[in-house]
Amino acid sequence: MCGIVGYLGKANAPSVLISGLKRLEYRGYDSAGLAILDGDKVLVSKASGKVANLSERASINWPPELFKRVGTGIAHTRWATHGPPTEVNAHPHLDKTGEIALVHNGIIENYRALRARLEGKGHHFVSETDTEVLSHLIGDCDKGDLFQAVCDALHQVEGTFGIAVISSREPGKIITARRGSPIVIGVGDGEAIIASDASAIVAHTQRVIYLDDDDIATVTADSVDIRDLNNVPVTREIAELGLDASVAEKGGYEHFMMKEIHEQPDALANAIRGRLDLQLGSSVLAGMSASQRELAELSRVVMVGCGTSLHAAMVGEYAFEDLADIHAEVQQAAEFRYRNPIIGNRDFVVAISQSGETADTLAAVKEAQQKGAFVMSLVNVVGSTIARETGRGVYLHAGPEISVASTKAFTCQVSVLLMMALKLGRGRRYSREEGLKLAREIDSIPELVNRVIAKNDLIAEIAENYVKDEHAFFIGRGPMYPVALEGALKLKEISYIHAEGYHAAELKHGPIALLQPGTPVIAVACEGPAKDKTLGNVEECRARGARILGIITEGDTNAEEVMDDFISIPKAHPLVATIPAVVALQIFSYHVARLRGCEIDQPRNLAKSVTVE
Ligand code: F6R
């Protein structure tokens, strides 16, 4: 949510910043801006809308020489929180003198009080943002030492921030700091690039430093000096990114979403590789670093997450109960700490997050830790805040997910949850034979997904029948219920069709009133104990004239007969089948959205990585 880039070094700052922003645009894309140092001046250019607008604006407003000179600058792409996405609200924001510029991710919660106090001292604000208040506060604190001014200002701030600050009075440096919003510093050869995530850095260097909360760094082209907010030096290791610059390219696909759908067999293979024990019929997950005895003593698994990650958790709930015979529940992360959950030291809390930065999930982690639970994370982004906060967890190894609509993260989350449940199950009631059978099925997931992806063209044809609809219902039972929820989420977020997911049995308790002749119902009715009941619910919808698209198991002619259209997926264990079933729905949603001409990778009002509550 919002992206920051800062640059110092041997290349042209505006060009580097704009290409960095393009790589971060998936995090927020309603307005953008950049500020560069030009002699004793700070030059600012901003535009509402996409980074392309900013690029055009800067090249009109600024002389061509500026795009040839070496320099220092900061830039931002925004997902609006305080004030609409107008040019005036876009970052960077300047202080009263116009000599200090700031970009900021996060929220300054006490900005109203700070603003009133500064107004009392003669400060005048032009935007509605909390960020402009922070830039004025830094200016107000600046007595000739920018680093100290930023420290002093941050001491007065409540809330979250990832920031980068430049001043024309102290050229050749960027001050950057974080609390609850990530900052990564890329350490190049005679250059440094600061960003809110590594995808803006990877084209420059593989060597990075992740700031911790309340770290503040003075960065020059050749040095990084990190301190805490009391000016005490701290040491942070340089890490290797291990990412290829091509991850942030579309690689011949029209959209990142389709690229990432196609990456799933490899991503899943990476998530599974080395983690299955095909001798013992179990799994080996170093991140579940507790003894088998400790694991056996756990009384409950509580999974927390948001959005797609919440849906993965719901599949996990079935897996833990079925395979490990352990009480499992899912809690919406945003609710977790406000409902004062009953959690103790025999509870196993699993925080699930692709980005590892979701504010609500992070808050739930802290609450669970506070209550003494055994907390671990299931995160994709290495070095992310949630991964570091839990200190114990299993990485998904899905590779960077750029499309705002999550695809490969979900399927990797589910496959890791299945392996976790298998491990717990083998320590409890699951036999070696049962374990081996499931382990082999998990091992085959990449191939199952490959077979669904091979149906892309067929699914694209089916999608044509649903392009003109404005409403759709997704139904499922058992582990296919969260698949139905995830299918509805995918369709609504990228195609803007109003789609609702329901437990198939729930439809007749109210929502069925909305069915009219022709209303599409997408029924996830793959083989499993709940299939026949789901088909019964399909009949209820057909009786009201609904048009049914079934996600069914290959060769299931009974199911085929009651569907208007169907996409079949390979036969698999009902928990494993959730993964190919969801892939079919991802591809379906993608084609509906494409045919409707939607901006698939950057749906309106959304952003990747939701770092505000
Ligand atoms: C939907 C989607 C979101 C995220 C949610 C949680 O396609 O991507 O619903 O799943 O914002 O994000 P993470 O997993 O990063 O915590």
PDB file of all heavy atoms in Angstrom, residues 306-310 352-358 361 386 401 403-407 413 486 489-490 493 607-610, ligand 1:
ATOM      1  N   CYS A 306      -6.346 -12.142   6.357  1.00  0.00           N
ATOM      2  CA  CYS A 306      -7.349 -11.267   5.729  1.00  0.00           C
ATOM      3  C   CYS A 306      -7.502 -11.684   4.262  1.00  0.00           C
ATOM      4  O   CYS A 306      -6.549 -12.172   3.653  1.00  0.00           O
ATOM      5  CB  CYS A 306      -6.882  -9.818   5.721  1.00  0.00           C
ATOM      6  SG  CYS A 306      -6.553  -9.153   7.338  1.00  0.00           S
ATOM      7  N   GLY A 307      -8.673 -11.437   3.716  1.00  0.00           N
ATOM      8  CA  GLY A 307      -8.905 -11.600   2.279  1.00  0.00           C
ATOM      9  C   GLY A 307      -8.608 -13.011   1.797  1.00  0.00           C
ATOM     10  O   GLY A 307      -9.050 -14.003   2.384  1.00  0.00           O
ATOM     11  N   THR A 308      -7.829 -13.087   0.742  1.00  0.00           N
ATOM     12  CA  THR A 308      -7.472 -14.388   0.176  1.00  0.00           C
ATOM     13  C   THR A 308      -6.762 -15.258   1.197  1.00  0.00           C
ATOM     14  O   THR A 308      -6.989 -16.479   1.270  1.00  0.00           O
ATOM     15  CB  THR A 308      -6.602 -14.152  -1.083  1.00  0.00           C
ATOM     16  OG1 THR A 308      -7.456 -13.614  -2.101  1.00  0.00           O
ATOM     17  CG2 THR A 308      -5.966 -15.417  -1.590  1.00  0.00           C
ATOM     18  N   SER A 309      -5.914 -14.659   1.997  1.00  0.00           N
ATOM     19  CA  SER A 309      -5.196 -15.443   3.018  1.00  0.00           C
ATOM     20  C   SER A 309      -6.169 -16.017   4.040  1.00  0.00           C
ATOM     21  O   SER A 309      -5.951 -17.098   4.591  1.00  0.00           O
ATOM     22  CB  SER A 309      -4.152 -14.575   3.722  1.00  0.00           C
ATOM     23  OG  SER A 309      -3.180 -14.162   2.795  1.00  0.00           O
ATOM     24  N   LEU A 310      -7.248 -15.297   4.299  1.00  0.00           N
ATOM     25  CA  LEU A 310      -8.285 -15.791   5.216  1.00  0.00           C
ATOM     26  C   LEU A 310      -8.961 -17.026   4.599  1.00  0.00           C
ATOM     27  O   LEU A 310      -9.255 -17.999   5.295  1.00  0.00           O
ATOM     28  CB  LEU A 310      -9.312 -14.688   5.472  1.00  0.00           C
ATOM     29  CG  LEU A 310     -10.343 -14.970   6.548  1.00  0.00           C
ATOM     30  CD1 LEU A 310      -9.719 -14.839   7.929  1.00  0.00           C
ATOM     31  CD2 LEU A 310     -11.517 -13.997   6.448  1.00  0.00           C
ATOM     32  N   ILE A 352      -1.292 -15.894   8.573  1.00  0.00           N
ATOM     33  CA  ILE A 352      -1.122 -16.189   7.143  1.00  0.00           C
ATOM     34  C   ILE A 352      -1.168 -14.889   6.353  1.00  0.00           C
ATOM     35  O   ILE A 352      -2.144 -14.131   6.437  1.00  0.00           O
ATOM     36  CB  ILE A 352      -2.228 -17.159   6.670  1.00  0.00           C
ATOM     37  CG1 ILE A 352      -2.217 -18.410   7.569  1.00  0.00           C
ATOM     38  CG2 ILE A 352      -2.032 -17.532   5.213  1.00  0.00           C
ATOM     39  CD1 ILE A 352      -3.326 -19.393   7.271  1.00  0.00           C
ATOM     40  N   SER A 353      -0.111 -14.639   5.591  1.00  0.00           N
ATOM     41  CA  SER A 353      -0.051 -13.381   4.843  1.00  0.00           C
ATOM     42  C   SER A 353       0.919 -13.510   3.680  1.00  0.00           C
ATOM     43  O   SER A 353       2.064 -13.945   3.876  1.00  0.00           O
ATOM     44  CB  SER A 353       0.412 -12.258   5.778  1.00  0.00           C
ATOM     45  OG  SER A 353       0.639 -11.082   5.055  1.00  0.00           O
ATOM     46  N   GLN A 354       0.464 -13.175   2.496  1.00  0.00           N
ATOM     47  CA  GLN A 354       1.378 -13.167   1.355  1.00  0.00           C
ATOM     48  C   GLN A 354       2.475 -12.144   1.592  1.00  0.00           C
ATOM     49  O   GLN A 354       3.647 -12.445   1.542  1.00  0.00           O
ATOM     50  CB  GLN A 354       0.596 -12.832   0.078  1.00  0.00           C
ATOM     51  CG  GLN A 354       1.347 -12.938  -1.226  1.00  0.00           C
ATOM     52  CD  GLN A 354       2.334 -11.810  -1.501  1.00  0.00           C
ATOM     53  OE1 GLN A 354       3.510 -12.089  -1.804  1.00  0.00           O
ATOM     54  NE2 GLN A 354       1.933 -10.575  -1.388  1.00  0.00           N
ATOM     55  N   SER A 355       2.057 -10.898   1.846  1.00  0.00           N
ATOM     56  CA  SER A 355       3.013  -9.784   1.910  1.00  0.00           C
ATOM     57  C   SER A 355       3.826  -9.793   3.195  1.00  0.00           C
ATOM     58  O   SER A 355       4.947  -9.297   3.229  1.00  0.00           O
ATOM     59  CB  SER A 355       2.252  -8.460   1.835  1.00  0.00           C
ATOM     60  OG  SER A 355       1.371  -8.354   2.950  1.00  0.00           O
ATOM     61  N   GLY A 356       3.232 -10.320   4.255  1.00  0.00           N
ATOM     62  CA  GLY A 356       3.889 -10.226   5.563  1.00  0.00           C
ATOM     63  C   GLY A 356       3.834  -8.828   6.129  1.00  0.00           C
ATOM     64  O   GLY A 356       4.533  -8.504   7.095  1.00  0.00           O
ATOM     65  N   GLU A 357       3.012  -7.961   5.534  1.00  0.00           N
ATOM     66  CA  GLU A 357       2.948  -6.562   5.993  1.00  0.00           C
ATOM     67  C   GLU A 357       1.536  -6.147   6.392  1.00  0.00           C
ATOM     68  O   GLU A 357       1.348  -5.006   6.802  1.00  0.00           O
ATOM     69  CB  GLU A 357       3.422  -5.612   4.885  1.00  0.00           C
ATOM     70  CG  GLU A 357       4.842  -5.839   4.390  1.00  0.00           C
ATOM     71  CD  GLU A 357       5.899  -5.588   5.455  1.00  0.00           C
ATOM     72  OE1 GLU A 357       5.585  -4.956   6.479  1.00  0.00           O
ATOM     73  OE2 GLU A 357       7.039  -6.057   5.264  1.00  0.00           O
ATOM     74  N   THR A 358       0.542  -7.003   6.233  1.00  0.00           N
ATOM     75  CA  THR A 358      -0.846  -6.600   6.483  1.00  0.00           C
ATOM     76  C   THR A 358      -1.010  -6.161   7.944  1.00  0.00           C
ATOM     77  O   THR A 358      -0.740  -6.932   8.879  1.00  0.00           O
ATOM     78  CB  THR A 358      -1.779  -7.769   6.124  1.00  0.00           C
ATOM     79  OG1 THR A 358      -1.554  -8.066   4.758  1.00  0.00           O
ATOM     80  CG2 THR A 358      -3.235  -7.401   6.335  1.00  0.00           C
ATOM     81  N   THR A 361      -3.145  -8.297  10.365  1.00  0.00           N
ATOM     82  CA  THR A 361      -2.555  -9.601  10.685  1.00  0.00           C
ATOM     83  C   THR A 361      -1.378  -9.418  11.642  1.00  0.00           C
ATOM     84  O   THR A 361      -1.199 -10.193  12.591  1.00  0.00           O
ATOM     85  CB  THR A 361      -2.126 -10.321   9.384  1.00  0.00           C
ATOM     86  OG1 THR A 361      -3.230 -10.268   8.473  1.00  0.00           O
ATOM     87  CG2 THR A 361      -1.750 -11.760   9.627  1.00  0.00           C
ATOM     88  N   ILE A 386       5.900  -9.380   9.384  1.00  0.00           N
ATOM     89  CA  ILE A 386       5.268 -10.477  10.137  1.00  0.00           C
ATOM     90  C   ILE A 386       6.248 -11.651  10.287  1.00  0.00           C
ATOM     91  O   ILE A 386       6.338 -12.261  11.358  1.00  0.00           O
ATOM     92  CB  ILE A 386       3.951 -10.926   9.457  1.00  0.00           C
ATOM     93  CG1 ILE A 386       2.913  -9.796   9.580  1.00  0.00           C
ATOM     94  CG2 ILE A 386       3.418 -12.215  10.059  1.00  0.00           C
ATOM     95  CD1 ILE A 386       1.617  -9.998   8.823  1.00  0.00           C
ATOM     96  N   GLU A 401       4.731 -11.734  -5.847  1.00  0.00           N
ATOM     97  CA  GLU A 401       3.379 -11.663  -6.426  1.00  0.00           C
ATOM     98  C   GLU A 401       3.086 -10.188  -6.677  1.00  0.00           C
ATOM     99  O   GLU A 401       2.972  -9.402  -5.739  1.00  0.00           O
ATOM    100  CB  GLU A 401       2.359 -12.285  -5.464  1.00  0.00           C
ATOM    101  CG  GLU A 401       1.023 -12.533  -6.120  1.00  0.00           C
ATOM    102  CD  GLU A 401       0.027 -13.189  -5.176  1.00  0.00           C
ATOM    103  OE1 GLU A 401      -0.383 -12.530  -4.193  1.00  0.00           O
ATOM    104  OE2 GLU A 401      -0.342 -14.347  -5.408  1.00  0.00           O
ATOM    105  N   SER A 403       0.630  -9.022  -9.183  1.00  0.00           N
ATOM    106  CA  SER A 403      -0.792  -8.775  -9.433  1.00  0.00           C
ATOM    107  C   SER A 403      -1.491  -8.505  -8.103  1.00  0.00           C
ATOM    108  O   SER A 403      -1.264  -9.216  -7.121  1.00  0.00           O
ATOM    109  CB  SER A 403      -1.396 -10.018 -10.097  1.00  0.00           C
ATOM    110  OG  SER A 403      -2.789 -10.007  -9.937  1.00  0.00           O
ATOM    111  N   VAL A 404      -2.333  -7.491  -8.103  1.00  0.00           N
ATOM    112  CA  VAL A 404      -3.049  -7.165  -6.862  1.00  0.00           C
ATOM    113  C   VAL A 404      -3.940  -8.337  -6.452  1.00  0.00           C
ATOM    114  O   VAL A 404      -4.057  -8.678  -5.275  1.00  0.00           O
ATOM    115  CB  VAL A 404      -3.828  -5.843  -7.033  1.00  0.00           C
ATOM    116  CG1 VAL A 404      -4.829  -5.650  -5.910  1.00  0.00           C
ATOM    117  CG2 VAL A 404      -2.850  -4.680  -7.058  1.00  0.00           C
ATOM    118  N   ALA A 405      -4.572  -8.969  -7.427  1.00  0.00           N
ATOM    119  CA  ALA A 405      -5.385 -10.151  -7.112  1.00  0.00           C
ATOM    120  C   ALA A 405      -4.450 -11.326  -6.865  1.00  0.00           C
ATOM    121  O   ALA A 405      -3.693 -11.739  -7.743  1.00  0.00           O
ATOM    122  CB  ALA A 405      -6.324 -10.458  -8.272  1.00  0.00           C
ATOM    123  N   SER A 406      -4.531 -11.846  -5.675  1.00  0.00           N
ATOM    124  CA  SER A 406      -3.603 -12.908  -5.272  1.00  0.00           C
ATOM    125  C   SER A 406      -3.987 -14.234  -5.928  1.00  0.00           C
ATOM    126  O   SER A 406      -5.163 -14.601  -5.962  1.00  0.00           O
ATOM    127  CB  SER A 406      -3.681 -13.019  -3.755  1.00  0.00           C
ATOM    128  OG  SER A 406      -2.800 -13.987  -3.293  1.00  0.00           O
ATOM    129  N   THR A 407      -3.004 -14.954  -6.453  1.00  0.00           N
ATOM    130  CA  THR A 407      -3.286 -16.266  -7.066  1.00  0.00           C
ATOM    131  C   THR A 407      -2.334 -17.318  -6.508  1.00  0.00           C
ATOM    132  O   THR A 407      -2.737 -18.177  -5.724  1.00  0.00           O
ATOM    133  CB  THR A 407      -3.147 -16.200  -8.599  1.00  0.00           C
ATOM    134  OG1 THR A 407      -1.853 -15.672  -8.937  1.00  0.00           O
ATOM    135  CG2 THR A 407      -4.241 -15.366  -9.226  1.00  0.00           C
ATOM    136  N   GLN A 413      -0.184 -21.203  -0.064  1.00  0.00           N
ATOM    137  CA  GLN A 413      -0.615 -21.205   1.345  1.00  0.00           C
ATOM    138  C   GLN A 413      -1.346 -22.498   1.673  1.00  0.00           C
ATOM    139  O   GLN A 413      -1.071 -23.146   2.687  1.00  0.00           O
ATOM    140  CB  GLN A 413      -1.556 -20.017   1.617  1.00  0.00           C
ATOM    141  CG  GLN A 413      -0.835 -18.685   1.714  1.00  0.00           C
ATOM    142  CD  GLN A 413      -1.798 -17.498   1.582  1.00  0.00           C
ATOM    143  OE1 GLN A 413      -2.922 -17.626   1.109  1.00  0.00           O
ATOM    144  NE2 GLN A 413      -1.340 -16.325   1.993  1.00  0.00           N
ATOM    145  N   GLU A 486     -13.361 -17.671  -2.326  1.00  0.00           N
ATOM    146  CA  GLU A 486     -12.187 -17.132  -3.031  1.00  0.00           C
ATOM    147  C   GLU A 486     -12.536 -16.875  -4.505  1.00  0.00           C
ATOM    148  O   GLU A 486     -12.112 -15.863  -5.079  1.00  0.00           O
ATOM    149  CB  GLU A 486     -11.014 -18.113  -2.881  1.00  0.00           C
ATOM    150  CG  GLU A 486      -9.743 -17.741  -3.626  1.00  0.00           C
ATOM    151  CD  GLU A 486      -9.156 -16.383  -3.265  1.00  0.00           C
ATOM    152  OE1 GLU A 486      -9.571 -15.754  -2.278  1.00  0.00           O
ATOM    153  OE2 GLU A 486      -8.268 -15.928  -4.014  1.00  0.00           O
ATOM    154  N   LEU A 489     -14.428 -13.678  -4.619  1.00  0.00           N
ATOM    155  CA  LEU A 489     -13.524 -12.533  -4.379  1.00  0.00           C
ATOM    156  C   LEU A 489     -12.733 -12.214  -5.654  1.00  0.00           C
ATOM    157  O   LEU A 489     -12.616 -11.046  -6.050  1.00  0.00           O
ATOM    158  CB  LEU A 489     -12.580 -12.842  -3.207  1.00  0.00           C
ATOM    159  CG  LEU A 489     -11.533 -11.778  -2.877  1.00  0.00           C
ATOM    160  CD1 LEU A 489     -12.173 -10.446  -2.519  1.00  0.00           C
ATOM    161  CD2 LEU A 489     -10.626 -12.228  -1.739  1.00  0.00           C
ATOM    162  N   LYS A 490     -12.216 -13.261  -6.296  1.00  0.00           N
ATOM    163  CA  LYS A 490     -11.431 -13.017  -7.519  1.00  0.00           C
ATOM    164  C   LYS A 490     -12.286 -12.327  -8.565  1.00  0.00           C
ATOM    165  O   LYS A 490     -11.878 -11.350  -9.170  1.00  0.00           O
ATOM    166  CB  LYS A 490     -10.892 -14.325  -8.116  1.00  0.00           C
ATOM    167  CG  LYS A 490      -9.737 -14.955  -7.428  1.00  0.00           C
ATOM    168  CD  LYS A 490      -8.419 -14.225  -7.528  1.00  0.00           C
ATOM    169  CE  LYS A 490      -8.222 -13.271  -6.391  1.00  0.00           C
ATOM    170  NZ  LYS A 490      -7.647 -13.736  -5.187  1.00  0.00           N
ATOM    171  N   GLU A 493     -13.227  -8.612  -7.577  1.00  0.00           N
ATOM    172  CA  GLU A 493     -12.175  -7.595  -7.499  1.00  0.00           C
ATOM    173  C   GLU A 493     -11.602  -7.223  -8.861  1.00  0.00           C
ATOM    174  O   GLU A 493     -11.179  -6.088  -9.049  1.00  0.00           O
ATOM    175  CB  GLU A 493     -11.079  -7.977  -6.493  1.00  0.00           C
ATOM    176  CG  GLU A 493     -10.186  -9.109  -6.881  1.00  0.00           C
ATOM    177  CD  GLU A 493      -9.163  -9.443  -5.808  1.00  0.00           C
ATOM    178  OE1 GLU A 493      -8.707  -8.548  -5.092  1.00  0.00           O
ATOM    179  OE2 GLU A 493      -8.804 -10.631  -5.693  1.00  0.00           O
ATOM    180  N   ALA A 607      -5.097  -2.016  -3.469  1.00  0.00           N
ATOM    181  CA  ALA A 607      -3.644  -1.952  -3.487  1.00  0.00           C
ATOM    182  C   ALA A 607      -3.127  -3.255  -2.918  1.00  0.00           C
ATOM    183  O   ALA A 607      -3.819  -3.920  -2.158  1.00  0.00           O
ATOM    184  CB  ALA A 607      -3.143  -0.802  -2.641  1.00  0.00           C
ATOM    185  N   LYS A 608      -1.939  -3.609  -3.311  1.00  0.00           N
ATOM    186  CA  LYS A 608      -1.315  -4.803  -2.750  1.00  0.00           C
ATOM    187  C   LYS A 608      -0.780  -4.428  -1.385  1.00  0.00           C
ATOM    188  O   LYS A 608      -0.261  -3.338  -1.211  1.00  0.00           O
ATOM    189  CB  LYS A 608      -0.162  -5.200  -3.678  1.00  0.00           C
ATOM    190  CG  LYS A 608       0.361  -6.593  -3.461  1.00  0.00           C
ATOM    191  CD  LYS A 608      -0.382  -7.558  -4.314  1.00  0.00           C
ATOM    192  CE  LYS A 608       0.124  -8.975  -4.139  1.00  0.00           C
ATOM    193  NZ  LYS A 608      -0.955  -9.932  -4.441  1.00  0.00           N
ATOM    194  N   SER A 609      -0.880  -5.319  -0.431  1.00  0.00           N
ATOM    195  CA  SER A 609      -0.249  -5.112   0.864  1.00  0.00           C
ATOM    196  C   SER A 609      -0.923  -3.972   1.635  1.00  0.00           C
ATOM    197  O   SER A 609      -0.600  -2.796   1.474  1.00  0.00           O
ATOM    198  CB  SER A 609       1.237  -4.833   0.623  1.00  0.00           C
ATOM    199  OG  SER A 609       1.881  -4.298   1.680  1.00  0.00           O
ATOM    200  N   VAL A 610      -1.885  -4.345   2.466  1.00  0.00           N
ATOM    201  CA  VAL A 610      -2.734  -3.354   3.138  1.00  0.00           C
ATOM    202  C   VAL A 610      -2.153  -3.020   4.514  1.00  0.00           C
ATOM    203  O   VAL A 610      -2.391  -3.728   5.493  1.00  0.00           O
ATOM    204  CB  VAL A 610      -4.185  -3.879   3.239  1.00  0.00           C
ATOM    205  CG1 VAL A 610      -5.090  -2.847   3.879  1.00  0.00           C
ATOM    206  CG2 VAL A 610      -4.704  -4.224   1.850  1.00  0.00           C
TER     207      VAL A 610
HETATM  208  C1  F6R B   1      -7.199 -10.531  -2.873  1.00  0.00           C
HETATM  209  C2  F6R B   1      -6.039 -10.183  -2.067  1.00  0.00           C
HETATM  210  C3  F6R B   1      -6.270  -9.665  -0.707  1.00  0.00           C
HETATM  211  C4  F6R B   1      -5.159 -10.131   0.241  1.00  0.00           C
HETATM  212  C5  F6R B   1      -5.314  -9.472   1.618  1.00  0.00           C
HETATM  213  C6  F6R B   1      -4.285  -9.997   2.598  1.00  0.00           C
HETATM  214  O1  F6R B   1      -6.839 -11.034  -4.125  1.00  0.00           O
HETATM  215  O2  F6R B   1      -4.929 -10.266  -2.499  1.00  0.00           O
HETATM  216  O3  F6R B   1      -7.520 -10.017  -0.221  1.00  0.00           O
HETATM  217  O4  F6R B   1      -5.209 -11.524   0.350  1.00  0.00           O
HETATM  218  O5  F6R B   1      -5.189  -8.095   1.490  1.00  0.00           O
HETATM  219  O6  F6R B   1      -2.998  -9.761   2.140  1.00  0.00           O
HETATM  220  P1  F6R B   1      -1.762 -10.571   2.694  1.00  0.00           P
HETATM  221  O7  F6R B   1      -1.920 -11.985   2.292  1.00  0.00           O
HETATM  222  O8  F6R B   1      -0.574  -9.923   2.063  1.00  0.00           O
HETATM  223  O9  F6R B   1      -1.776 -10.433   4.178  1.00  0.00           O
END
